[in-house]
Amino acid sequence: MRRVLLVLGGGVALAALQQQLLLRRPPRLVEISSTTASSGPAALDLRFSRPMQRSSLERSSALEPGLARRWLGEGNPLRLLLLPQQTLTGPLQLLLAGTDRRGLSLQPQRWRWDPRPRLLAVVPVAGGEQLQLQRRDGSWLPLTRVWPQLAQVMPLGDGSGVALLSGDGQGSHRLWRLPLHQRNLVREPGGLGEPKPGQLAPLSGEPLLFAHLSSNRRGDLLVQASTTALEPGTTVLHTRRGERQPLVQKASGPMQLLPEGGGVVVPELEGLTLHSLPGQPSRRQLLPGSRELSSFCPVSGRALLVRHWPDYRRSLELVEPGQPPRQLWIGTEAVLASACDRGGERVWLVISDWKKGAQPQLLALNRRGQLVQQRTLTGWELEPGSAMAFDPTRQQLLLTLRPRARATAGALAVLVDGQTLQLQPVNKPVRWALWLPAG
């Protein structure tokens, strides 16, 4: 009995000693990641080994350049948010320091962070088309081999890769996934680097007649595809973990994953519907009327819709959680593209009126629908099938425009200042251009 008591007592003492050692161990940074799901240019999500004093992190941490920022959360995890209306001109350096709730100090550490997206483009080359990426120094890096046609390109929302639909020029297509390794957030003394392409992997086992692609910030990929004109086609969700989950919803047009994940917008004959993804409680919400999804805003749950009226007018609407759609613009012109900042505080749309020679116009609106800025895109036309995208880190838009005077010379990627609407064409012929998120 004495031996048993000694053994039990020794175990209790050892457990108490281990507990004291753990309590005296300084806090550690367990995980850090960049996120675009914020109301500012960019944000960092941080998780620590124990709850931290947010006020201590605010006092002890530093950012160069000294952009305005705010710490969000209570204890653990926390978010470092760059405040809105700031422009990033280069990489940032973060000094991370502070104490936990017991007063123990986090070992100071320095990180380099570049949340700016990169420019991707489908480029005409000898023998067909190729996907290329613009490096920070302005040069271009080929990411793929040359195909006769690149029918679609969809950057994954977490920046981990790109989905590609290649064509043979005869109506047959193949679906691929190209992994990309990015170095946009590194601890010093490590350095930032350009994305490095991995091994191209097929996602379709047989040739496809067509496919529509969509992705969310988690890196999931939704594929609507068909192998023949007579079959209805299939819809499959490819998760980042490599799982294949079929969707049974029937759509009257292209489906779009919600950026934050968890749902999919499905166009149906009676209106736009919102469905949950497999593995979540089933739900279906309906927004009736002849509407189509135009673009998502950076803040979760906000989007822009184009509504078609019986008298052939069109309107642009802002939708927010729990609110009816808010009309921002209405007219007889065609809405070619749209984009928004934050939760719709600023909205841009490209319209075109065939009565005026189909000359496109770029409008900037506030969230009340008031016209703030307007620019006629004289001498340009929007490349068919291209979209407009907003980069909150540099406060600029991306358009793919074709010069009317040189229509056979190819289109150009054109950067547009979000405030002044000044155009800055990139001197390289492309078929269309997109942003690759900084993963």
Side-chain angles (χ1 to χ4, degrees):
M1 181 62 68
R2 183 178 298 177
R3 289 181 178 178
V4 172
L5 292 176
L6 288 173
V7 171
L8 292 177
V12 171
L14 180 60
L17 177 62
Q18 290 176 336
Q19 184 179 23
Q20 291 300 314
L21 291 175
L22 289 175
L23 290 176
R24 287 180 170 83
R25 179 181 294 179
R28 295 176 293 106
L29 177 64
V30 177
E31 184 178 5
I32 181 172
S33 60
S34 180
T35 177
T36 58
S38 70
S39 59
L44 286 176
D45 288 334
L46 303 99
R47 187 165 62 88
F48 300 89
S49 59
R50 60 178 56 142
M52 303 292 292
Q53 293 186 32
R54 191 180 67 188
S55 59
S56 174
L57 286 168
E58 291 175 344
R59 292 191 307 268
S60 304
S61 299
L63 194 66
E64 295 180 8
L67 300 176
R69 58 199 180 275
R70 179 183 302 157
W71 287 87
L72 305 176
E74 292 294 333
N76 196 24
L78 296 173
R79 170 170 287 188
L80 176 61
L81 172 68
L82 301 183
L83 297 186
Q85 307 304 320
Q86 300 185 97
T87 301
L88 278 63
T89 58
L92 307 174
Q93 186 179 62
L94 171 66
L95 170 63
L96 188 62
T99 59
D100 64 12
R101 290 181 175 175
R102 292 181 175 271
L104 298 178
S105 297
L106 175 75
Q107 181 181 3
Q109 47 189 267
R110 292 186 178 274
W111 291 80
R112 290 187 64 81
W113 175 33
D114 193 350
R116 299 172 298 166
R118 286 175 164 84
L119 184 60
L120 279 177
V122 175
V123 179
V125 296
E129 297 176 341
Q130 183 181 52
L131 183 66
Q132 297 185 11
L133 176 142
Q134 188 183 43
R135 299 183 179 95
R136 294 299 189 200
D137 62 4
S139 62
W140 289 83
L141 171 69
L143 296 178
T144 65
R145 59 185 175 91
V146 178
W147 281 286
Q149 179 191 25
L150 269 176
Q152 280 197 56
V153 174
M154 175 56 61
L156 301 182
D158 62 350
S160 64
V162 181
L164 309 163
L165 185 68
S166 65
D168 61 1
Q170 306 296 320
S172 180
H173 300 85
R174 292 279 186 175
L175 186 61
W176 310 85
R177 184 184 185 276
L178 176 69
L180 292 174
H181 176 65
Q182 298 201 53
R183 290 179 56 85
N184 300 313
L185 179 62
V186 296
R187 186 173 178 179
E188 293 187 345
L192 302 171
E194 300 290 349
K196 294 183 178 180
Q199 185 67 36
L200 192 68
L203 288 180
S204 57
E206 54 185 330
L208 302 175
L209 179 65
F210 76 90
H212 174 75
L213 312 176
S214 174
S215 183
N216 57 26
R217 296 190 186 109
R218 297 179 181 179
D220 301 326
L221 176 68
L222 185 70
V223 179
Q224 292 172 266
S226 178
T227 56
T228 66
L230 300 179
E231 68 170 29
T234 60
T235 303
V236 178
L237 178 68
H238 298 258
T239 69
R240 188 180 180 183
R241 298 186 299 272
E243 301 170 344
R244 293 170 54 93
Q245 300 176 344
L247 272 64
V248 298
Q249 290 86 1
K250 301 301 180 182
S252 60
M255 302 163 63
Q256 299 284 345
L257 291 175
L258 294 181
E260 63 273 15
V264 58
V265 178
V266 181
E268 299 180 12
L269 295 179
E270 53 187 321
L272 284 178
T273 57
L274 177 63
H275 293 261
S276 56
L277 292 177
Q280 301 187 14
S282 178
R283 63 168 178 163
R284 179 181 182 271
Q285 298 175 318
L286 171 66
L287 181 61
S290 181
R291 291 178 168 94
E292 60 182 278
L293 177 64
S294 182
S295 58
F296 289 107
C297 301
V299 175
S300 175
R302 277 74 171 178
L304 297 175
L305 307 179
V306 174
R307 184 173 186 179
H308 301 267
W309 294 86
D311 59 359
Y312 301 103
R313 292 183 302 166
R314 300 164 183 86
S315 61
L316 188 73
E317 300 176 331
L318 173 67
V319 293
E320 302 174 281
Q323 301 290 330
R326 178 189 305 170
Q327 183 174 288
L328 302 178
W329 174 89
I330 187 168
T332 58
E333 297 88 348
V335 179
L336 304 181
S338 72
C340 50
D341 184 18
R342 302 172 62 192
E345 280 71 18
R346 288 186 296 170
V347 171
W348 301 269
L349 68 156
V350 179
I351 60 174
S352 178
D353 189 353
W354 64 271
K355 297 178 183 178
K356 300 178 182 179
Q359 184 70 63
Q361 291 188 342
L362 176 59
L363 309 182
L365 312 173
N366 60 23
R367 66 179 292 109
R368 295 185 298 274
Q370 298 171 329
L371 182 63
V372 177
Q373 197 89 2
Q374 180 175 355
R375 183 184 183 91
T376 301
L377 301 179
T378 305
W380 298 94
E381 58 185 30
L382 190 68
E383 183 70 5
S386 66
M388 177 165 55
F390 180 64
D391 169 20
T393 66
R394 286 169 289 198
Q395 301 291 307
Q396 65 183 5
L397 300 157
L398 174 63
L399 286 168
T400 307
L401 300 177
R402 182 180 293 271
R404 288 193 169 188
R406 298 183 293 113
T408 59
L412 298 175
V414 179
L415 305 176
V416 184
D417 187 283
Q419 294 288 347
T420 65
L421 303 188
Q422 293 297 313
L423 306 185
Q424 180 186 345
V426 178
N427 188 23
K428 185 179 182 67
V430 302
R431 199 157 73 83
W432 68 71
L434 314 95
W435 290 128
L436 172 68

